[in-house]
Amino acid sequence: MRSKIFSTLVIALMIVSCSQNTGKEARLTTDTDSVAYVIGMNVGLNLIRMDSTLNIEAVCQGLRDVARNHTKFSLEEAETFFLGYMNYTLPEKAQALEEQWLAELAEQSRDFARTRTGITYAVRTLGDQVRIPAASRDSLALRYLIRTTDNKVLYSSYERGDTIRTTLSDLKSGLQESVKLIGEGGKVEAWIPSQLAFGAEGNSELNIAPNKTLCFEIELIQLDKYTEWSRR
């Protein structure tokens, strides 16, 4: 974790360097200049991904204090505070904003209802109510897409031409709850709170950031109930 703090300080160092040259635009006259610019872009993007609400002046002050060997926190105190912020404070802030967004979605459209866990959903096609997933070993054939609150599609099995075959227990808890809202042949649009989807870890392969509210448009194509095929 200390390496993470030091990485943050490196980012801050570059920010301070830029802030000391406000109004001066760098000239990319050599390949080395261009590489430096690309590194600066990467650092800026990493800082925004970490927390776009950071006070840049406070970041710069922290670096200046390190250079002067007169910091407001010891390294141990800084590490403890950083861990607490990233693991508790930041997720709590994200959860509060997420709850507000989902509640407003349900209020603005009568199509949407909410479950006890906070999933905000609209059944688009009601499937066979006799054939609803229930047992953890029930086998499902699904198609779904994942999109963000700004309608950016992160994954679509429709575009890939894929049918996902899995058991109910292998799905994220939010997806398990969502497919139980429809029967075989049904479709549901489910806005799933981050803690019931990819949580604080996110998913780098799908480019899903930590603590991200996601919409899953799910189609339950086929259901093989464990109680039926286990008796064959």
Side-chain angles (χ1 to χ4, degrees), residues 105-186:
L105 176 64
E107 289 175 0
Q108 292 169 3
S109 176
R110 294 182 179 179
D111 291 343
F112 287 93
R114 300 197 74 189
T115 69
R116 182 180 55 82
T117 60
I119 293 175
T120 304
Y121 71 95
V123 174
R124 299 308 185 191
T125 302
L126 189 63
D128 186 345
Q129 294 301 284
V130 177
R131 301 190 59 75
I132 295 177
S136 62
R137 295 188 183 183
D138 283 353
S139 180
L140 316 174
L142 304 169
R143 291 192 188 121
Y144 63 81
L145 67 79
I146 307 172
R147 58 185 171 88
T148 61
T149 53
D150 58 357
N151 289 319
K152 179 182 179 181
V153 176
L154 301 177
Y155 172 83
S156 173
S157 62
Y158 295 96
E159 291 183 1
R160 294 173 177 239
D162 292 341
T163 297
I164 296 129
R165 299 184 183 277
T166 184
T167 60
L168 185 64
S169 62
D170 285 337
L171 293 174
K172 299 287 186 182
S173 60
L175 271 74
Q176 290 185 36
E177 187 174 350
S178 297
V179 296
K180 290 178 181 179
L181 298 170
I182 53 176
E184 186 177 54

